Amino acid sequence: MALFAAVGLLLALNVKGIADRFNDVMATMTFGLLDAYQTGVYRVVGAGLALLGGIGVAVEIAVGLS
């Protein structure tokens, strides 16, 4: 879960243009099927991933402490 949160934060905050590079990689690896998506879509997906990862980490900590 912490990995999901970290990757999501990197995409959401667009650290060093990582969302732009991820957009290029996805367009190349899917043979142009995801070429129409803008960088903002990946940033929103990254924010959701960070949110779910953060919730997962909080649950793991709460269960571990009880």
Side-chain angles (χ1 to χ4, degrees):
M1 287 296 152
L3 182 64
F4 286 142
V7 170
L9 276 176
L10 286 175
L11 281 174
L13 298 177
N14 199 17
V15 176
K16 293 190 177 183
I18 196 166
D20 299 322
R21 287 183 281 194
F22 187 73
N23 186 16
D24 294 338
V25 168
M26 290 305 290
T28 303
M29 294 199 52
T30 60
F31 305 110
L33 293 175
L34 299 179
D35 196 25
Y37 292 135
Q38 300 294 326
T39 304
V41 172
Y42 294 112
R43 293 184 74 184
V44 170
V45 169
L49 201 64
L51 178 68
L52 290 176
I55 291 171
V57 168
V59 168
E60 290 292 331
I61 289 172
V63 167
L65 291 177
S66 63

